[in-house]
Every structure is written in C-alpha cells, then in structure tokens.
Amino acid sequence: MPDRYAVVGNPVAHSRSPAIHAAFARQTGEDIEYTRLLAPLDGFARTVAEFRDAGGKGVNVTLPFKGEAFRLATTLAARARLAEAANTLRFDPDGVYGDNTDGPGLVRDVTVNLGVALAGRRVLLIGAGGAASGVVPALLGAGVARLVIANRTEDRAAALARRHGAPVAACGFDALGDEPFDVLINATSAGLSGAAPPLPAGAVAPGALAYDMVYGPLAEPFLAAARRAGATRLADGLGMLVEQAAESFLVWRGIRPDTAPVLAGLRAAR
Ligand code: NAP
C-alpha cells in the first residue's frame, strides 16, 4: 500500500500538486499516492481528521485554510511559527507537525529558476492572506531592503507588517503608485475570479519583475496589468508551486527531489 497524501483546499480542483508529487515519486522511487481533498469552508479540521484516521500520512494545505492548519498543528517549524500559517502537515505518531514551504519555494523560484536577486531589492507584496503571511519570513531572510504589503483590506496588511517590523511596511491599494518596486508579487486570490489588484505605473521600477503566485491563465490579468504598467519580466507561480512541493516532499519523505525536470515537464505540457 502506498503512503497517502493530499492537498486540502476550497476550491482545489485547479491544483496541479497531484501531478507534481506523482513526478517526484517516480523520480525518487518513493511509494506514495497524492490526491485532492475538497474541504467545506467550515469543515477543514474534520476533513483532515478523517483523512488521518483513514491512514493518511500528511497534507498540503491551500486557500483559505493555511491559518487553520497553523492552529491545528501541535508542533511547528520555526518558519511556520513566524508566518502564523502552515501549508504542510505531517501526521506523526505523537501529533501533527506543521511547516510552511511557500516562502522557500517562492525565494528559490525567483532567485534560482528566474535568476532575479532579492537581496537589497524593494519588494511589493500584494495580499495579506495565508500565502502572503507564508512568504514574508523568507523574503526577509533573502535580505530584501524594503517590503511593502498592500492589501484590499488595509488592516490585514497593517497587522501582518506590525508582526515583523522594519523593513516591512503596509498600505492600502489607494497608496500604490507613490513608490517604485523592483519585484512586485501578487499573493491575492483575485486571479481565481479573473480579476487583478490595481497596479499603477508609478509602482513599477525600470526592469522590474512582476510575479503572480497563481499560474497559467489565472495569472494573466495581473501579468497583463503589470506589462501595461512597464514591467519587463513576468512570471507566474508554477515554479513556486513545484519548489514548495519539493520542500514539502522533503518534510514528509526526508528526500528533496530535483525540481528542474518536473518544472520543465509541466511547462511543456501546457
Ligand atoms: P487567502 O488566505 O484566502 O487570501 C486571499 C487574499 O487575496 C487576501 O489578501 C484577499 O484580500 C485577496 N483578494 C481576494 N480577492 C481579491 C480581489 N478581487 N481583489 C484584491 N484582492 C483580493 O488565500 P491565500 O492562501 O493567501 O492564497 C492566495 C493565492 O496564492 C491563491 O490564489 C493561491 O492559489 C496562490 N498560491 C500559490 C502558491 C504557489 O505555490 N504558486 C502558493 C500559495 C498560494 P482581503 O484580505 O481584502 O480579503
């Protein structure tokens, strides 16, 4: 019997994580099965408990449950504690271990796969939900010079910025455009409904990278707005998805798969 894992979210049908983990399993020879689990919006803990009781070994957690996953874990990796959000749960005999691999996944995709340095850069992070919370510690760890969090609900951005202190600051969408950024990251779920947060030209520094955490056609509204605002480098979040998955695989299986062939395969299959 393969060890069973799943990605839990709502919605979750769009997730490509099962294909990625199947590729990792083939590459490493690990005997695992990985499926999607749609949890009711008020039934995350119940869905996870049922999967665990049925023999599941761990889950990835996607929107909107990363905060709940953080609270459900009985032990936490330092980066998940800092983020107050978890995207990876491992069911251990003595409890549930929670980790957050979104941050390392994003930083590795930007710096290694895309070759864009983050150290010393001015970064705009749009969104203040689970994904944004998850990547702040890793962006700070990568040495960004300034990190501004902009969110539709400004209070959420302010609360996230307060938790970290300088060089993190917060603003609402109406303040965007007053300050240029070298790297602009969309961590909102607006793309899932075909929308994009506002991105005025004044926010985009010459040569800037615009990065959307969603991938494929869902990233188009933001990336098109970024192109119009002057961004010359554009990337969707497929690389981050593969990199965070590799880091989760390491948490579960103790082995880090080679991401390059898996990412190339997914891009070719589009
Ligand atoms: P979440 O916790 O539900 O947070 C959603 C965020 O999006 C909030 O900041 C929310 O603002 C904002 N938002 C939603 N609709 C909006 C709209 N129409 N205009 C402007 N802002 C809007 O979700 P999450 O877990 O942070 O995930 C966010 C996105 O990142 C998802 O699409 C997810 O698929 C993606 N993601 C990708 C990866 C990857 O590996 N590539 C990893 C993690 C997440 P309010 O606070 O104002 O509601």
Side-chain angles (χ1 to χ4, degrees):
M1 276 281 281
D3 287 344
R4 294 173 56 219
Y5 299 88
V7 54
V8 187
N10 186 333
V12 78
H14 65 283
S15 174
R16 297 181 80 177
S17 292
I20 294 168
H21 282 281
F24 288 166
R26 280 193 300 277
Q27 183 196 99
T28 59
E30 293 288 301
D31 191 14
I32 72 157
E33 179 189 289
Y34 187 110
T35 51
R36 294 182 188 88
L37 271 182
L38 177 69
L41 289 175
D42 62 352
F44 172 73
R46 191 175 67 242
T47 303
V48 171
E50 283 168 5
F51 184 68
R52 186 183 185 187
D53 291 347
K57 299 285 186 194
V59 290
N60 277 138
V61 181
T62 187
L63 86 166
F65 299 125
K66 290 178 188 185
E68 276 192 72
F70 165 77
R71 291 187 288 278
L72 193 146
T74 52
T75 351
L76 286 160
R79 57 196 181 191
R81 196 174 305 113
L82 275 172
E84 297 187 9
N87 76 334
T88 306
L89 297 177
R90 187 184 67 213
F91 306 142
D92 292 338
D94 54 348
V96 178
Y97 175 75
D99 200 346
N100 195 313
T101 66
D102 281 338
L106 171 72
V107 166
R108 199 177 144 93
D109 191 38
V110 170
T111 59
V112 178
N113 299 339
L114 300 171
V116 173
L118 284 168
R121 297 298 182 88
R122 301 161 295 182
V123 177
L124 174 66
L125 181 63
I126 310 172
S133 308
V135 301
V136 171
L139 289 170
L140 293 175
V144 303
R146 179 161 163 78
L147 177 58
V148 174
I149 302 167
N151 195 45
R152 181 175 63 181
T153 310
E154 193 176 343
D155 288 355
R156 278 183 97 185
L160 183 51
R162 251 195 320 274
R163 263 187 16 230
H164 292 279
V168 187
C171 69
F173 287 163
D174 51 355
L176 288 178
D178 294 345
E179 179 184 356
F181 296 94
D182 308 302
V183 179
L184 303 98
I185 302 164
N186 183 19
T188 75
S189 52
L192 299 185
S193 50
L199 195 57
V204 181
L209 166 72
Y211 189 102
D212 199 327
M213 285 196 192
V214 299
Y215 39 89
L218 299 179
E220 264 316 302
F222 176 74
L223 296 182
R227 196 183 299 113
R228 283 195 299 276
T232 46
R233 296 209 58 185
L234 307 170
D236 73 1
L238 193 61
M240 174 182 174
L241 184 75
V242 174
E243 295 297 345
Q244 63 79 29
E247 202 69 20
S248 294
F249 198 89
L250 176 65
V251 170
W252 293 325
R253 311 300 298 181
I255 175 169
R256 193 178 205 290
D258 181 5
T259 49
V262 176
L263 181 55
L266 286 175
R267 294 232 184 263
R270 276 182 175 185

